[in-house]
């Protein structure tokens, strides 16, 4: 396999997935959780995102086309859902829900999946979003065949390993920032996430010719 292609693929996926940018968001979305639960969420997030990206690398837009969904519609839906999460972060709804379950036992807390951000919004659409899905489709298309698919998926997995390792530093980052710092970062990231959500929607509308 051409080393230049592998380097290009790694850099492209690294920039699109943005592990460094995701880490503070992971801290904000898992604020107050134990290290053990954070590790479980980080692992579940990376596994979910990896499976989704592998499926799209292998079958491309046919996966969406099979059920009549275009990539543009996927962008709009992802943007709307992300905007709801951004509102939760801006108004501390997630924190209030977590404080409301502060009296739960460890077993009850593990069973409470209502506040688990692993699948949404971290795995989908922040990691396995329209950008990374489209990138996987394009990269796999440049190197057709099982060998090419294996290399592309290998590069993607190496990026997700970096994501997982950075997520493991969430506890250290939270302690360094303190409660006040985390609250400030959460609101700031909520604003940025809202802007990203709007951009997703605009990109989708532009694809349908409805936005300039």
């Amino acid at each position: 396999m051409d080393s230049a292609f592998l380097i290009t693929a790694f850099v492209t996926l690294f920039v699109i997935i943005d592990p460094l940018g995701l880490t503070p968001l992971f801290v904000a979305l898992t604020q107050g959780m134990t290290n053990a639960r954070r590790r479980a969420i980080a692992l579940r997030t990376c596994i979910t995102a990896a499976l989704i990206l592998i499926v799209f690398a292998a079958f491309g837009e046919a996966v969406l086309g099979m059920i009549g969904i275009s990539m543009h519609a996927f962008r709009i839906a992802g943007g709307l859902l992300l905007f709801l999460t951004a509102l939760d972060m801006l108004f501390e709804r997630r924190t209030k829900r977590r404080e409301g379950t502060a009296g739960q036992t460890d077993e009850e807390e593990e069973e409470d999946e209502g506040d688990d951000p692993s699948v949404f919004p971290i795995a989908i659409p922040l990691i396995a979003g329209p950008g990374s899905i489209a990138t996987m489709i394009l990269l796999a298309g440049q190197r057709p065949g099982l060998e090419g698919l294996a290399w592309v998926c290998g590069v993607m997995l190496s990026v997700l390993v970096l994501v997982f390792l950075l997520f493991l530093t969430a506890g250290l980052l939270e302690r360094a920032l303190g409660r006040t710092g985390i609250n400030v970062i959460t609101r700031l990231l909520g604003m940025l996430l809202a802007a990203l959500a709007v951009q997703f929607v605009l990109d989708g509308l532009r694809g349908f010719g409805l936005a300039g």
Side-chain angles (χ1 to χ4, degrees), residues 2-98:
D2 184 4
S3 60
F5 171 77
L6 295 179
I7 294 172
T8 300
F10 178 86
V11 171
T12 303
L13 284 169
F14 186 88
V15 171
I16 292 293
I17 294 175
D18 191 13
L20 296 174
L22 282 175
T23 303
L25 186 58
F26 179 80
V27 173
L29 291 172
T30 59
Q31 181 181 357
M33 293 184 182
T34 63
N35 287 334
R37 189 164 187 212
R38 272 182 166 150
R39 283 194 299 271
I41 288 175
L43 183 60
R44 189 156 53 242
T45 294
C46 292
I47 290 175
T48 301
L51 291 175
I52 292 170
L53 292 176
I54 288 172
V55 167
F56 276 99
F59 302 106
E61 292 190 47
V63 175
L64 293 178
M66 185 171 57
I67 51 178
I69 299 174
S70 69
M71 188 66 73
H72 305 311
F74 186 78
R75 284 191 177 94
I76 294 172
L80 293 175
L81 291 172
L82 269 185
F83 192 77
L84 294 177
T85 299
L87 290 180
D88 279 353
M89 294 173 68
L90 283 168
F91 296 106
E92 284 196 304
R93 294 172 187 166
R94 300 180 65 85
T95 302
K96 290 176 182 176
R97 284 200 300 269
R98 193 170 293 117

Side-chain angles (χ1 to χ4, degrees), residues 56-174:
F56 276 99
F59 302 106
E61 292 190 47
V63 175
L64 293 178
M66 185 171 57
I67 51 178
I69 299 174
S70 69
M71 188 66 73
H72 305 311
F74 186 78
R75 284 191 177 94
I76 294 172
L80 293 175
L81 291 172
L82 269 185
F83 192 77
L84 294 177
T85 299
L87 290 180
D88 279 353
M89 294 173 68
L90 283 168
F91 296 106
E92 284 196 304
R93 294 172 187 166
R94 300 180 65 85
T95 302
K96 290 176 182 176
R97 284 200 300 269
R98 193 170 293 117
E99 289 173 349
T101 60
Q104 289 181 322
T105 63
D106 291 339
E107 290 78 8
E108 289 172 334
E109 184 179 349
E110 290 299 323
E111 291 173 0
D112 180 17
E113 297 297 326
D115 204 26
D116 183 350
S118 59
V119 175
F120 175 84
I122 305 178
I124 310 167
L126 291 177
I127 296 178
S132 54
I133 286 174
T135 300
M136 290 294 290
I137 292 172
L138 292 173
L139 290 174
Q142 290 178 28
R143 292 294 186 276
L146 288 178
E147 182 182 356
L149 176 64
W151 279 108
V152 170
C153 290
V155 170
M156 177 270 295
L157 290 174
S158 68
V159 174
L160 290 187
V161 167
L162 291 178
V163 171
F164 179 73
L165 293 176
L166 285 171
F167 281 0
L168 294 184
T169 68
L172 295 174
L173 188 57
E174 184 178 39

